Amino acid sequence: MPRPIIIDTDPGQDDALAILLALASPELDVRGITCVAGNVPLALTSRNARIVCELAGRTNVLVYAGASAPLERELVTAEYVHGKTGLDGYDLPEPSMPLAEGHAVDFIIETTMDSAPGSLTLCALGPLTNLGQALRQAPEIGPRLREIVLMGGGLFEGGNTTPSAEFNIYVDPEAADLVMHCGAPVVMIPLDLTHQTLTSDAIIADFRAMPNATGPATAGLLDFFERFDVEKYGSQGGPLHDPNVIAYLLQPDLYGGRHINVEIETGSALTRGMTVADWWRVTDRTANVLYLRNVDVAGYWQLLKDRLSQLP
Ligand code: RIB
Ligand code: CA
């Protein structure tokens, strides 16, 4: 029985590859894709999600527009990383599939309440605004979810948006705080892990050589996406963050971590959006998160290549 999931996302090249991985995997039943403002404004993230679905040949996927701004703060975007469209790097046609009727937040609430308790997984790849809004409107969805698996935060790797904050959490720290205490099992995939899953010329060449349309498109998106991080970190390649969320669902044995307490800084301007992760368990605060720090990097890339090679 395929595992029902909702993907909440701000595409973004790395989000795009996560969506492709999910759509290429029969183990998963993508009930819908809910878009949020983040890497680029909502009009573009909701455009980009449909472009990716069409690339995968899946025009039947329900794609909803959601929050255009964080719960309490001004929107911060990341065109400097993702380009002005959010999907720079490979020319893909404008989407012909329409957005689904209704708001993403309502879809999250209704789908959770219509699903059997403990059956639906929410995969969060961007700022957590949609989920935060849904939890404000219907707090009962938290304990009803099977799991929330999110890319966000960091401890040992610091931050990528400020010295102490990762982008997804920085953009909407209030939403992240709601998620940390919502009653669902939370799995956090932070920069401490995603900074290990770096692209490389060989990996990009493998995608470029694929005989389908998805491979070369993936290579173009990766080429563009990595340039900022290569300059910033001086590394061989850029960290491919978001597909780790889907890879974790497909092959959890590739990952390792520990149950710890994670709190979100929402008061300080200096450390706004910091994930205060008690990895060494120096407090008696409740362990509310499975914080993943280890990944089988070769296994991650093999899974991604195997699955994306099966798409159109
Ligand atoms: O900090 C990396 C995260 O922020 C990724 O999800 C990327 O797509 C951006 O949303
Ligand atoms: Ca993202």
Side-chain angles (χ1 to χ4, degrees), residues 125-294:
L125 313 180
L128 293 161
T129 312
N130 285 337
L131 187 46
Q133 185 56 48
L135 288 165
R136 275 185 171 173
Q137 284 176 218
E140 63 275 17
I141 66 169
R144 198 176 174 91
L145 287 165
R146 172 174 173 177
E147 213 166 35
I148 297 168
V149 186
L150 67 94
M151 188 277 142
L155 176 69
F156 300 97
E157 287 292 304
N160 61 4
T161 302
T162 70
S164 54
E166 175 280 326
F167 180 78
N168 290 337
I169 310 300
Y170 177 80
V171 170
D172 200 336
E174 284 73 23
D177 187 43
L178 285 165
V179 170
M180 292 306 120
H181 301 287
C182 72
V186 175
V187 180
M188 182 175 276
I189 299 181
L191 297 178
D192 304 342
L193 186 147
T194 66
H195 280 184
Q196 299 171 56
T197 56
L198 298 175
T199 60
S200 71
D201 293 348
I203 287 167
I204 293 174
D206 287 346
F207 282 111
R208 185 163 284 116
M210 286 181 187
N212 59 1
T214 298
T218 297
L221 295 172
L222 288 177
D223 259 340
F224 183 90
F225 176 69
E226 72 167 13
R227 88 215 177 290
F228 175 80
D229 285 301
V230 165
E231 282 160 35
K232 175 173 172 180
Y233 297 108
S235 53
Q236 264 307 303
L240 189 65
H241 309 282
D242 292 343
N244 280 291
V245 169
I246 305 301
Y248 171 75
L249 295 185
L250 295 170
Q251 292 184 5
D253 293 349
L254 295 177
Y255 295 88
R258 59 171 77 159
H259 279 95
I260 60 171
N261 176 264
V262 177
E263 301 296 341
I264 308 295
E265 176 58 65
T266 57
S268 156
L270 178 63
T271 54
R272 156 192 167 169
M274 181 177 187
T275 47
V276 183
D278 188 6
W279 181 263
W280 302 115
R281 298 187 177 117
V282 294
T283 76
D284 59 0
R285 292 198 287 256
T286 306
N288 56 338
V289 169
L290 174 57
Y291 191 90
L292 297 183
R293 197 178 166 196
N294 307 312

Side-chain angles (χ1 to χ4, degrees), residues 54 76 134 170 298:
E54 292 188 348
V76 172
Y170 177 80

Side-chain angles (χ1 to χ4, degrees), residues 49-51 53-54 58-63 95-99:
R50 287 177 287 156
I51 287 176
C53 287
E54 292 188 348
R58 294 285 301 277
T59 54
N60 60 333
V61 175
L62 296 173
V63 177
S96 53
M97 62 188 278
L99 281 170

Side-chain angles (χ1 to χ4, degrees), residues 112-126:
T112 306
M113 297 316 291
D114 292 348
S115 302
S119 64
L120 182 68
T121 299
L122 201 131
C123 303
L125 313 180

Side-chain angles (χ1 to χ4, degrees), residues 10 14-15 39 125-126 168 242:
D10 64 333
D14 60 325
D15 303 67
N39 287 321
L125 313 180
N168 290 337
D242 292 343

